[in-house]
Amino acid sequence: MPASATDQPTSSEWYWVMTVQTADGRLNTRTATITVPAGFTRAQAWDFIFSQFKKDFGSPLTVLFFDLQPNQM
């Protein structure tokens, strides 16, 4: 039986890890979950997560590692 529009989730939770390096060589790794609305793209998640690092460390930043996976097992 096909799922109806009302059966579709309105949001989903994702687990992410990102490691960045600042221009002066500092490294920072963070991990957290992000809950996003249905239709949210991977690119939008990246922009949101990376903007948090830019706010804390400024630019330029080099991303050394990034992973985004569904949090549900």
Side-chain angles (χ1 to χ4, degrees):
M1 175 186 263
S4 70
T6 58
D7 293 338
Q8 301 300 315
T10 57
S11 65
S12 59
E13 186 176 60
W14 296 77
Y15 177 79
W16 63 266
V17 179
M18 184 180 277
T19 300
V20 300
Q21 184 172 15
T22 63
D24 63 358
R26 291 180 293 157
L27 297 173
N28 187 275
T29 298
R30 293 183 186 172
T31 182
T33 59
I34 180 175
T35 301
V36 299
F40 208 74
T41 66
R42 184 177 176 87
Q44 289 172 308
W46 163 275
D47 289 342
F48 175 78
I49 295 164
F50 190 58
S51 72
Q52 303 304 305
F53 282 87
K54 288 195 302 188
K55 185 172 74 172
D56 292 344
F57 295 102
S59 290
L61 291 175
T62 301
V63 176
L64 302 176
F65 180 80
F66 178 69
D67 187 38
L68 179 68
Q69 301 287 329
N71 197 39
Q72 184 68 36
M73 297 198 48

